[in-house]
Amino acid sequence: MSLTVLMNAGPWLSVPPPGYGGIENVIATLVPELRRLGVRVVLASVGDSTLPVDELVSVFPEGQFASLQRPYNQVCGVAQAHLAGVVRELHTRDDIDLVHDHVEAVGLATLTAMGADAPPVLHTLHWDLAKHPALYGTLDGGGRVRVNGVSASQLARAPQALRDHSVGHVHLSTPLAVDADRRPRPGKGDHVVVLGRINPGKGQDLGARLAHRVGFRLVLAGPVGPYHRPEDLAAAGEEARQNPDVRFFVEEVAPYVDGDLVRWVGTVAGRERDDLLATARVALFPLRWEEPGGTAVVESLALGTPVVGIARGCLPELVAHGRTGLLTADEEELGELVLAASVLDPDECRREAVARFTPAVMAERYLTLYERVRKLAATPRRPAWREESHLTAFDMAGGPS
Ligand code: UDP
């Protein structure tokens, strides 16, 4: 019998996302593979999501991400309205075998509150688990709601109550890993790249300082707060500094950006991003935080670029020290490792990505967790209401009935 999963992507962005959108990208990568494995997928997202699924349910016609710039008291109803739509779906139908939820905090709280009215739930923790201590520290999923992390190190530091609900971790994947070892090998340039949001945790200031001390060419790629291009940040004026990432860039990183040895190129996307990463000698991760999942790490490996970084967060799980990258706990040694990485074999990185980081590997792992979550949810679900006159979430969105 085939499994039907309600995949709750939330109200913020369409799936696949129009640009930036880490969680929506994971869902867009996971769903086709699950369907290939015979899973029926009901996607709870916004109305203009285009990912092929068996059914789309939505409350909002389009992504509500822009509203997150507004004060909390004006936006706090958005995720709740979406979840209320999901709850209505779950109350009125009994074909859903499991909910795979990706909505930060609100998804977990709401689906937990449904108790036996909901099918078993797997809630994926995509973020830093030091957040939401009150919610995570007191969680009681009643045996029906379970969580998974995106790395073992992320879960290891989680509050005990959250760990008690864990069924394990699933590493992130990238479509770039598919047949990565069969793609022609691009020539390597002389640059090192740091790919990611410019942010103190990602440590671009450290990378830039080391580039000057050790003498390597460094390209910083990624947005600074809401600014995707250097000219947009330059035009924004003083007001932009209210954003902490802008302040970090201006005060800690920009002094090293000389346009020659160290460059900031803004956000890169698509082919441009892949080429920049594939032709880099090294992808550098000068981390100052416990990186939870590391999409850019698995992308680098898939494109045949060894990873050099601080050995914290998920890096030691994703990178085989001495084979696909070099890791150290010492910020100063990191500079020397960038030079030492020239002995590493790009093909070894690509083979590792094919073996560990394809969407198919991720989907099989999730399928195993779905089975585990369903087995652990010992008590049967209360039957759905099934009122014919009931207004569904989809009706509310003005879609065809
Ligand atoms: N990214 C991108 N262009 C950039 C900078 C980052 O496409 O200029 C992408 C990167 O390839 C990765 C994602 O943004 O897919 C960042 O995910 P990651 O898990 O590395 O970091 P997060 O931002 O989620 O902490």
Side-chain angles (χ1 to χ4, degrees), residues 150-154 157 171-172 285 287 289-295 297-298 310-319 327 356-357:
V150 289
S151 67
S153 75
Q154 175 208 28
R157 287 184 312 278
H171 286 143
L172 295 169
F285 292 84
L287 300 181
W289 78 322
E290 308 298 338
E291 182 82 34
T295 313
V297 176
V298 300
I310 298 290
R312 61 190 298 180
C314 62
L315 252 63
E317 289 169 53
L318 303 181
V319 177
L327 303 178
R356 296 181 61 200
F357 304 125

Side-chain angles (χ1 to χ4, degrees), residues 259-327:
D260 178 27
L261 203 59
V262 178
R263 293 189 296 137
W264 173 50
V265 296
T267 302
V268 290
R271 189 66 201 267
E272 191 193 358
R273 180 198 67 176
D274 296 354
D275 286 348
L276 177 70
L277 206 47
T279 58
R281 288 160 49 195
V282 159
L284 181 62
F285 292 84
L287 300 181
R288 290 237 178 69
W289 78 322
E290 308 298 338
E291 182 82 34
T295 313
V297 176
V298 300
E299 290 165 347
S300 303
L301 296 176
L303 289 166
T305 300
V307 169
V308 172
I310 298 290
R312 61 190 298 180
C314 62
L315 252 63
E317 289 169 53
L318 303 181
V319 177
H321 178 75
R323 191 159 60 80
T324 61
L326 295 172
L327 303 178

Side-chain angles (χ1 to χ4, degrees), residues 44 53 89 94 145 148 159 176 186 230 332 395:
V53 287
E89 288 292 327
D94 49 19
V145 178
N148 79 278
L176 294 168
E332 291 314 310
D395 294 332

Side-chain angles (χ1 to χ4, degrees), residues 90-114:
L90 296 175
H91 273 153
T92 51
R93 56 197 289 173
D94 49 19
D95 62 326
I96 309 289
D97 299 305
L98 177 129
V99 179
H100 187 176
D101 178 57
H102 302 264
V103 179
E104 185 165 353
V106 184
L108 182 64
T110 307
L111 293 163
T112 299
M114 280 189 80

Side-chain angles (χ1 to χ4, degrees), residues 34-266:
L34 287 175
R35 295 180 80 215
R36 205 175 50 77
L37 294 169
V39 176
R40 226 183 123 240
V41 176
V42 177
L43 179 67
S45 177
V46 290
D48 61 354
S49 283
T50 54
L51 184 74
V53 287
D54 296 281
E55 199 182 331
L56 173 68
V57 293
S58 60
V59 168
F60 293 96
E62 56 196 31
Q64 301 297 302
F65 188 77
S67 70
L68 288 173
Q69 302 298 325
R70 300 209 308 264
Y72 175 76
N73 64 1
Q74 290 175 30
V75 304
C76 63
V78 173
Q80 276 84 348
H82 173 88
L83 257 299
V86 169
V87 169
R88 274 190 294 273
E89 288 292 327
L90 296 175
H91 273 153
T92 51
R93 56 197 289 173
D94 49 19
D95 62 326
I96 309 289
D97 299 305
L98 177 129
V99 179
H100 187 176
D101 178 57
H102 302 264
V103 179
E104 185 165 353
V106 184
L108 182 64
T110 307
L111 293 163
T112 299
M114 280 189 80
D117 285 344
V121 174
L122 178 65
H123 171 83
T124 296
L125 301 156
H126 291 270
W127 35 82
D128 172 10
L129 303 183
K131 295 202 265 180
H132 321 305
L135 176 66
Y136 292 160
T138 59
L139 182 66
D140 179 359
R144 310 183 66 78
V145 178
R146 307 281 167 176
V147 301
N148 79 278
V150 289
S151 67
S153 75
Q154 175 208 28
L155 284 170
R157 287 184 312 278
Q160 185 63 46
L162 194 57
R163 269 186 286 148
D164 291 344
H165 289 74
S166 166
V167 286
H169 66 275
V170 183
H171 286 143
L172 295 169
S173 73
T174 170
L176 294 168
V178 178
D179 293 334
D181 52 347
R182 299 212 200 131
R183 274 198 297 271
R185 237 176 186 249
K188 288 286 184 190
D190 73 344
H191 63 279
V192 170
V193 66
V194 177
L195 179 74
R197 296 172 284 122
I198 312 276
N199 168 278
K202 303 275 184 188
Q204 283 90 352
D205 58 323
L206 173 60
R209 181 169 66 73
L210 292 175
H212 282 279
R213 182 171 72 68
V214 179
F216 56 83
R217 259 178 216 296
L218 183 66
V219 177
L220 305 173
V224 174
Y227 304 101
H228 291 281
R229 300 183 310 165
E231 51 270 40
D232 295 339
L233 178 61
E238 275 303 297
E239 215 173 273
R241 288 201 192 206
Q242 285 177 7
N243 181 301
D245 290 344
V246 172
R247 263 201 316 278
F248 167 69
F249 177 75
V250 172
E251 289 166 16
E252 311 288 340
V253 184
Y256 297 106
V257 177
D258 59 2
D260 178 27
L261 203 59
V262 178
R263 293 189 296 137
W264 173 50
V265 296

